[in-house]
Amino acid sequence: MAERHVGIVASGEKITIVDLEVPDDGPATLNLDDNWKLQEDDREGAYATLFAQLTNYLREHGIQKVVVKASDSSKGMGLSHLKSAEVRGVVIAAASTVCPTKAVAKSVLSRTFGERKVDAYLDDKDFWEGKIAGREMKKGSREAVFMVLADQNK
């Protein structure tokens, strides 16, 4: 039986969110492929709004699991990385109030999924053939979708 899973990548002032119906076999159906931007000016209020928006979406659509791109270490960690980490924390806290939530680092996926690094899969047009049904997936959403698909293969 198919389940609804969401993949989320936080980046600076926005999140990339995908909602997939994942069957036991065959391609996943893409129900949502969107970017949600934080409100401007009042960052703290924007976090509260994002929290509410995400929990409402997850509840209203019967989402059964969320996979979030976790922080990875970086040599050039600056303010943008810290802001992304704040947004990621809001996302994880919000999703955890609704359904099982898992944070997965890209570096872990590169070691545990297949024979290649994640970026090689993201750039490989042939890899994506037959993986997604429904609406057209944006190329910038591949990472969020990949996390959900990789989680299914465990």
Side-chain angles (χ1 to χ4, degrees):
M1 185 166 145
E3 290 189 353
R4 296 276 296 264
H5 293 197
V6 164
I8 300 174
V9 175
S11 178
E13 306 291 318
K14 71 176 176 79
I15 65 168
T16 298
I17 179 169
V18 296
D19 171 356
L20 297 162
E21 191 167 330
V22 184
D24 293 333
D25 190 31
T29 301
L30 184 61
N31 298 308
L32 175 73
D33 181 354
D34 204 0
N35 292 312
W36 294 354
K37 294 183 181 179
L38 287 178
Q39 293 175 328
E40 293 181 24
D41 299 328
D42 177 19
R43 193 162 179 89
E44 294 79 8
Y47 289 157
T49 300
L50 177 62
F51 187 99
Q53 181 181 8
L54 184 57
T55 55
N56 289 340
Y57 182 88
L58 298 175
R59 282 191 185 106
E60 289 171 8
H61 293 88
I63 304 303
Q64 293 155 299
K65 186 172 189 180
V66 174
V67 183
V68 180
K69 180 182 175 186
S71 297
D72 252 338
S73 62
S74 172
K75 292 180 182 177
M77 191 178 309
L79 186 57
S80 65
H81 285 87
L82 297 174
K83 287 183 176 183
S84 294
E86 289 175 350
V87 172
R88 189 176 304 107
V90 171
V91 166
I92 291 169
S96 296
T97 66
V98 178
C99 61
T101 302
K102 181 179 187 178
V104 180
K106 190 173 178 179
S107 61
V108 171
L109 286 178
S110 287
R111 290 190 307 268
T112 59
F113 183 89
E115 311 247 336
R116 304 185 285 172
K117 297 210 179 276
V118 171
D119 287 336
Y121 290 107
L122 300 180
D123 292 334
D124 183 356
K125 195 170 75 172
D126 292 335
F127 171 79
W128 292 99
E129 288 294 319
K131 296 266 193 276
I132 303 297
R135 67 180 67 206
E136 179 98 12
M137 176 180 56
K138 297 175 200 166
K139 187 174 180 181
S141 300
R142 285 182 178 176
E143 190 169 22
V145 171
F146 185 83
M147 290 186 317
V148 172
L149 298 178
D151 188 62
Q152 292 306 113
N153 288 335
K154 289 189 175 191

